[in-house]
Amino acid sequence: MKNGERARAGHGSPAAPGPTAGPGPTPAPGPTVVGREAEIAEIRSRIAADRSHSSVLIVEGDPGAGKSVLLDLAVRLTRGTGQRVLRAVGSESEASLAFAGLHQMLRPVLDDLGGLPARQRSALRTALGLAEDAEDAETADTPDALLVGLAVLTLVSDLSEPAPLLVVVDDAQWIDRASLDVLSFLARRMAGEPVTLLMGVRAAAVLPGFDKGYERLEIGPLSGDAANRLLDEQPKRPTGRTRARILREAAGNPLALVELARATADREPEGSGVEGPLPVTDRLEGIFARHVRHLPEATRRALLLLAATDAADAPAAARGLPEAADTVWAPAERAGLVRQDGTGVSFRHPLVRSAVYHAAPFEQRRRAHLALARQLGEEPDRRAWHLAAAAVRPDEQVSAALRETAGRARRRGGHAAAAAALERAAELSPHRADQARLLADAADTAVFTGQLGWVEHLAAGVRERSDDPALIGRAALATGRLLTLGPHHTAAFALLSRVADEAAATRSPRLLDALAAAAVVRYYSGEESQRQRIEALLADVPDSAAGGALRAWVLAVSDPSGAGASLAPALPRLIAAAKGEAGSLTALAVVAWLLDRTPLAARTFDEAFGRWQAHGPLPAGLACAAGWAYLEQGRWADARSVAAEIAEVASGAGLDHAEACARTLDATVLALLGEPAEARGSAERALALVDPLESRSVAVLARRALGLAAVAEGDYDSAYAQFRAAFTEDGDLVHYHVSPTVLAELAAAAVRRGHREPAARLLERSARHLGPGMSARLFLLVERGRALLAEPERAERHFRAALAGEAGEQWPFERAQTRLDYGEWLRRQRRVAEARPLLTGALDTFRRLGARPWIDRAKAELRAAGIEADAAAPGALTELSPQQQQIVRLAAHGLTNREIGEKLFLSPRTVGSHLYRVFPKLGITARAQLRDLLDDALQATGSAH
């Protein structure tokens, strides 16, 4: 069913047999369904026993529309064939408990965690709070969010090995954020696994990570015919005016039809709360609340206790409820409020729980929470939240318990749960100073959720409760850091500038942190006034060994060809001093990239974190710098991997600018590989995510990728227009760091389309602007551009300058382009013998990299020079996807499928599937042949590291 397609068929009845929608397994007995033939067929198609691929379906609709009925049917159909089901149901009471939903889903298979690789097992056990003892829990490292996701992916893959697996998550809008992030990771990475993921969610609810890219089955109102059939199925079917009124007020909502029919059958008074302009949901809650009022006192107390906990895995649910279950629960079951089965007692619908809870006076709710808290001595997090729910005034002890809960959630990687606990702890703290401090802590933690509105709300709370500049500045800095990852850079810089001003006035060490974040904004926006503001404030920062890396960062990011250029000689020393500190190493790697010390940058990125995710759940400022360094060094597969990982996380967190940065990186590699259509799609997506005036770096990078895609197709008119967009109408740089990298490409396109003179003027204007601080790489690009644009008698000295020395070998693709241009020029000067080695060298590099359009051009030039290049296509390795290249490289070094999967965040089955498809392309039949076949190619591309 297509995204957003609205089904018109209906819901079910708990009584009569329903229709069969096509062939399939016979479900175990359970509630039957009326009027949902199309939806049942869709569900059946997702869980067919012979499925061999993954499937994700979002089942959405209003409360009472029948989502849970359809998901229950899917579970019964699957279990009826003997296949395994993992299931979780979200609840409001657990939305602030980190990984509660994941624990509920995995509880039946916790014994299988022993089969996971050690790092994955440790990360998942820590996330689930399964450390062996309290001391282990306190000392365990915070698990990497993606490593937790990988552990679940591996576990799910293993569980689906004997037979396809069904994962069902109902009321997903109440699943805690940490669990939801893991489920989102699973949905994105389980391609090829025989796993179906069904997510039930209320209409209009925000479901981070699942808001785009997945098919949706919208459960709309029942048709008139289906609604009448459903009423006919009721024990006492309504007639006449009563039936017409029910049909009108239920508005096609199946649960409303059933409950309104039951209410009228019980001969409740007219006007008793079921009619009027209230929404269907409120009407239903009113009906359920009325049912509760008619129950015995003991039953009402039991229902309220159940409503207050609503935690399927809380031992208190069993210990705290009355023991005479049959006697107490029977009236509630007869009233249709609860159901009993082998797993215990549960509410028939979330609206029943809501009605029971909110219909009770606060004092009764308070006593229920206190009773549960007394039972939860072994579950301190749940106990803390129950005590908080029972609090009627500030309470330091409860606040302290919530602070401890926040600490545990943070250590487990549950940033949203930790921030929520700190926020509630602040509300319950008796002292305003402590309230402000806790809210500032919450803002720092909430940054990692990517929820800007929440961070801004917490920062506002700090300002309301304190006039301490340090606390206010810390909360504002948290907001500013998150703003840097979004598209609104003018607002971000204004905020960070205010923080820096206040820090400078109080000589706070936060000044350098604020300037470091502001420098990121300056890079993204390219705004010159921001550079001037940063440099003025930086003058107030004293030199110190501790701040050396950050100071270098600020200078280089703000002005790499000016103030930052003087840092180049000091970089090796600074990097050596930062050994073992991943954050400082990464910052210095970014500096090295900005200063065109590409090999040093790539080595330092590798040393710092191996993979960028080591920094946390969100991409740090200029995270794509690692990918650009890899691209410039010729490690194109690695560059695409960085882009994919950043885009994945940024998209899930709604960080548009971070996603746009990643997409421009991927678009550039795709263009170089000769995939112009895909490159255009990625670049245009990046441009759509940002305001080009707010994000000049992305705008210029995207235009450069579009220009390269046009070159790949031989469309030099379009290429020239895209490259020219990197400069203003007057010929100034649109972006101080990115625009100069386009100069040589602009010159090449200009020569082919007759724009030699304006391009030459623009190039010289840019060269004057760059001045003596121009890096070696930019010097070589400028000289290549000059050679292409010069008159024949002046071109050669510029070609020779562009190829002088060994420095240019750091940038293999750019060096090969210059060789190709020079070889073509020599051939046209009838110096064919001199042209041939240059053209041959260029072709060899293009082949190693897999740059197909440039391979074709180099071969054509060689033919014109009298050499028929062999017909070999790019090496077999370059014919593989970037992910396949990584898998092959790791397999060649002896890693198992499970070990490869852990490095690349894939399931072992997916790795094996890739190798199965790759072997015929490489002309091999055994894993042992990989090293001999690929070592030379991997070394040539710089990928073996």
Side-chain angles (χ1 to χ4, degrees):
M1 188 164 289
K2 295 180 180 179
N3 218 8
E5 185 175 342
R6 190 177 188 88
R8 297 296 302 169
H11 175 41
S13 163
T20 300
T26 302
T32 56
V33 183
V34 170
R36 295 294 190 195
E37 291 82 3
E39 290 86 343
I40 294 173
E42 180 70 18
I43 293 291
R44 284 183 182 274
S45 72
R46 302 284 174 158
I47 60 174
D50 62 347
R51 67 185 186 274
S52 58
H53 301 291
S54 65
S55 176
V56 179
L57 182 66
I58 313 298
V59 181
E60 65 177 9
D62 292 327
K67 303 181 298 298
S68 297
V69 172
L70 289 170
L71 295 178
D72 287 343
L73 176 63
V75 170
R76 288 185 287 116
L77 287 168
T78 300
R79 285 178 175 157
T81 64
Q83 297 175 43
R84 196 165 219 167
V85 178
L86 297 180
R87 189 170 194 184
V89 180
S91 66
E92 291 174 281
S93 64
E94 296 195 339
S96 296
L97 295 173
F99 296 106
L102 188 64
H103 187 275
Q104 184 188 153
M105 185 181 89
L106 298 182
R107 186 175 50 231
V109 295
L110 290 178
D111 290 343
D112 294 281
L113 267 56
L116 295 174
R119 288 179 64 240
Q120 295 180 34
R121 181 174 65 251
S122 175
L124 184 53
R125 286 182 61 82
T126 300
L128 295 177
L130 300 176
E132 296 300 329
D133 52 43
E135 184 176 350
D136 287 347
E138 291 291 330
T139 59
D141 292 334
T142 300
D144 183 288
L146 293 185
L147 191 58
V148 174
L150 176 62
V152 175
L153 175 63
T154 304
L155 179 63
V156 164
S157 178
D158 290 347
L159 292 172
S160 66
E161 188 70 37
L165 176 71
L166 175 65
V167 180
V168 174
V169 180
D170 200 1
D171 284 321
Q173 72 278 356
W174 290 325
I175 292 289
D176 65 278
R177 180 60 186 270
S179 297
L180 199 60
D181 288 344
V182 172
L183 290 166
S184 176
F185 177 92
L186 177 66
R188 293 191 301 268
R189 295 286 180 132
M190 67 183 193
E193 304 289 342
V195 178
T196 295
L197 173 60
L198 301 180
M199 303 280 288
V201 62
R202 286 190 176 182
V206 176
L207 202 61
F210 291 92
D211 53 345
K212 53 188 175 183
Y214 296 105
E215 291 183 88
R216 309 184 90 81
L217 180 62
E218 187 172 348
I219 312 301
L222 288 172
S223 65
D225 176 68
N228 275 292
R229 281 195 287 134
L230 180 56
L231 290 179
D232 288 340
E233 299 284 358
Q234 302 313 302
K236 295 181 180 179
R237 64 180 189 177
T239 59
R241 293 175 60 188
T242 299
R243 186 185 188 97
R245 176 185 160 207
I246 290 173
L247 288 169
R248 182 179 67 253
E249 293 187 2
N253 184 285
L255 185 62
L257 288 162
V258 172
E259 296 303 328
L260 288 170
R262 178 178 296 175
T264 57
D266 290 341
R267 294 183 173 81
E268 297 201 5
E270 287 287 330
S272 58
V274 299
E275 77 288 340
L278 290 175
V280 170
T281 297
D282 293 339
R283 234 178 259 137
L284 285 169
E285 285 197 2
I287 292 172
F288 294 137
R290 255 191 347 277
H291 288 330
V292 173
R293 288 199 298 270
H294 298 158
L295 296 175
E297 175 64 23
T299 302
R300 292 203 304 272
R301 286 199 304 270
L303 284 172
L304 180 57
L305 200 58
L306 183 63
T309 178
D310 201 23
D313 57 340
R319 293 197 300 268
L321 294 176
E323 294 181 3
D326 291 340
T327 303
V328 171
W329 293 116
E333 192 169 19
R334 285 195 299 271
L337 300 175
V338 300
R339 53 172 167 253
Q340 297 187 78
D341 54 30
T343 61
V345 180
S346 60
F347 287 111
R348 194 163 58 83
H349 194 278
L351 289 178
V352 180
R353 178 212 177 261
S354 180
V356 168
Y357 186 81
H358 292 292
F362 173 76
E363 184 56 33
Q364 291 181 16
R365 298 201 303 267
R366 181 173 180 272
R367 288 199 296 268
H369 284 295
L370 288 173
L372 289 165
R374 286 192 293 271
Q375 299 288 336
L376 286 165
E378 297 178 0
E379 297 189 58
D381 295 336
R382 284 191 168 88
R383 178 177 181 274
W385 280 106
H386 280 298
L387 289 172
V392 294
R393 61 182 63 87
D395 188 317
E396 179 57 37
Q397 289 186 326
V398 178
S399 179
L402 286 167
R403 294 198 297 272
E404 292 175 2
T405 287
R408 284 188 290 271
R410 196 156 34 206
R411 285 190 294 274
R412 291 164 58 190
H415 299 284
L422 288 168
E423 184 177 19
R424 182 64 174 136
E427 294 169 356
L428 293 175
S429 178
H431 308 295
R432 287 179 66 83
D434 290 339
Q435 293 171 14
R437 177 180 53 79
L438 289 167
L439 288 174
D441 292 343
D444 283 337
T445 304
V447 165
F448 295 108
T449 70
Q451 298 179 51
L452 178 60
W454 189 13
V455 176
E456 290 175 328
H457 170 74
L458 293 168
V462 175
R463 292 193 300 272
E464 291 171 4
R465 290 165 175 81
S466 175
D467 56 5
D468 182 350
L471 280 179
I472 294 172
R474 181 153 70 93
L477 183 56
T479 305
R481 282 173 169 158
L482 192 52
L483 271 172
T484 64
L485 299 177
H488 305 300
H489 294 125
T490 300
F493 190 85
L495 175 58
L496 291 165
S497 183
R498 287 198 301 272
V499 174
D501 279 335
E502 293 164 2
T506 59
R507 297 186 178 279
S508 167
R510 191 165 293 107
L511 172 57
L512 198 52
D513 292 330
L515 290 178
V520 174
V521 179
R522 147 69 174 162
Y523 184 87
Y524 289 152
S525 71
E527 177 58 48
E528 176 63 14
S529 63
Q530 294 176 359
R531 177 193 66 78
Q532 297 168 357
R533 185 84 184 102
I534 289 170
E535 290 186 358
L537 286 164
L538 194 62
D540 294 331
V541 180
D543 289 327
S544 69
L550 264 185
R551 190 182 184 89
W553 163 275
V554 173
L555 285 169
V557 172
S558 301
D559 187 15
S561 64
S566 62
L567 291 169
L571 271 178
R573 174 179 55 79
L574 290 170
I575 289 170
K579 292 291 185 187
E581 214 297 290
S584 294
L585 283 173
T586 304
L588 291 167
V590 171
V591 171
W593 169 69
L594 287 164
L595 300 182
D596 287 326
R597 299 288 299 274
T598 305
L600 178 62
R603 287 197 305 272
T604 309
F605 278 125
D606 290 341
E607 182 182 353
F609 47 84
R611 301 184 68 82
W612 73 270
Q613 300 96 323
H615 276 318
L618 295 183
L622 293 180
C624 276
W628 289 112
Y630 294 151
L631 182 150
E632 291 158 13
Q633 199 183 34
R635 293 164 55 176
W636 292 357
D638 290 341
R640 289 201 71 192
S641 292
V642 169
E645 289 157 9
I646 294 175
E648 181 174 60
V649 175
S651 176
L655 302 174
D656 290 349
H657 189 270
E659 181 184 352
C661 290
R663 292 196 181 280
T664 58
L665 171 58
D666 196 48
T668 304
V669 184
L670 286 167
L672 296 176
L673 290 169
E675 302 290 347
E678 290 184 46
R680 275 195 299 274
S682 191
E684 288 167 357
R685 170 64 178 158
L687 287 171
L689 287 168
V690 299
D691 178 347
L693 296 179
E694 293 259 358
S695 302
R696 293 184 182 92
S697 61
V698 167
V700 176
L701 287 166
R703 295 297 178 191
R704 187 177 73 175
L706 290 169
L708 289 169
V711 169
E713 293 179 315
D715 181 1
Y716 290 97
D717 283 326
S718 296
Y720 179 80
Q722 297 293 351
F723 295 141
R724 182 61 181 79
F727 305 88
T728 67
E729 288 187 13
D730 294 334
D732 291 330
L733 306 175
V734 169
H735 190 272
Y736 62 97
H737 181 247
V738 183
S739 291
T741 66
V742 184
L743 287 168
E745 298 293 353
L746 175 69
V751 169
R752 289 178 176 268
R753 304 315 304 165
H755 302 299
R756 187 185 301 267
E757 289 186 9
R761 288 195 299 271
L762 188 152
L763 185 145
E764 295 305 329
R765 183 185 182 105
S766 298
R768 288 193 299 272
H769 174 84
L770 293 169
M774 189 187 308
S775 70
R777 179 188 174 211
L778 290 182
F779 173 80
L780 298 178
L781 290 174
V782 167
E783 286 299 305
R784 177 189 167 213
R786 284 169 170 162
L788 290 166
L789 295 168
E791 297 298 327
E793 64 274 12
R794 297 179 182 176
E796 187 161 20
R797 67 186 179 93
H798 295 298
F799 275 127
R800 289 184 179 276
L803 290 171
E806 296 298 319
E809 299 300 333
Q810 300 175 70
W811 308 286
F813 179 73
E814 292 170 3
R815 173 56 60 105
Q817 285 181 298
T818 305
R819 287 191 175 114
L820 177 58
D821 291 335
Y822 189 19
E824 182 180 25
W825 183 88
L826 287 169
R827 181 186 62 77
R828 291 179 178 176
Q829 300 301 312
R830 302 182 186 279
R831 294 160 60 181
V832 176
E834 295 173 73
R836 287 170 178 167
L838 288 166
L839 296 172
T840 300
L843 178 60
D844 288 344
T845 299
F846 294 143
R847 278 178 168 167
R848 288 198 301 269
L849 296 173
R852 292 179 183 85
W854 286 266
I855 292 170
D856 294 340
R857 184 178 153 201
K859 288 167 66 175
E861 286 296 327
L862 274 170
R863 281 195 299 273
I867 296 178
E868 187 63 41
D870 63 73
L877 179 65
T878 63
E879 294 289 345
L880 306 180
S881 72
Q883 189 174 80
Q884 289 172 333
Q885 290 184 39
Q886 287 185 302
I887 291 171
V888 166
R889 184 187 72 208
L890 294 171
H893 283 75
L895 275 68
T896 66
N897 288 1
R898 192 162 286 246
E899 291 167 337
I900 295 170
E902 184 159 359
K903 283 185 173 292
L904 302 184
F905 296 90
L906 300 170
S907 73
R909 193 205 309 267
T910 299
V911 173
S913 177
H914 277 299
L915 287 172
Y916 178 81
R917 294 195 298 271
V918 159
F919 277 20
K921 295 180 181 179
L922 299 178
I924 61 175
T925 57
R927 201 181 188 105
Q929 299 172 271
L930 284 173
R931 180 179 286 275
D932 292 340
L933 181 70
L934 300 178
D935 269 355
D936 290 343
L938 291 169
Q939 186 175 8
T941 59
S943 295
H945 60 282

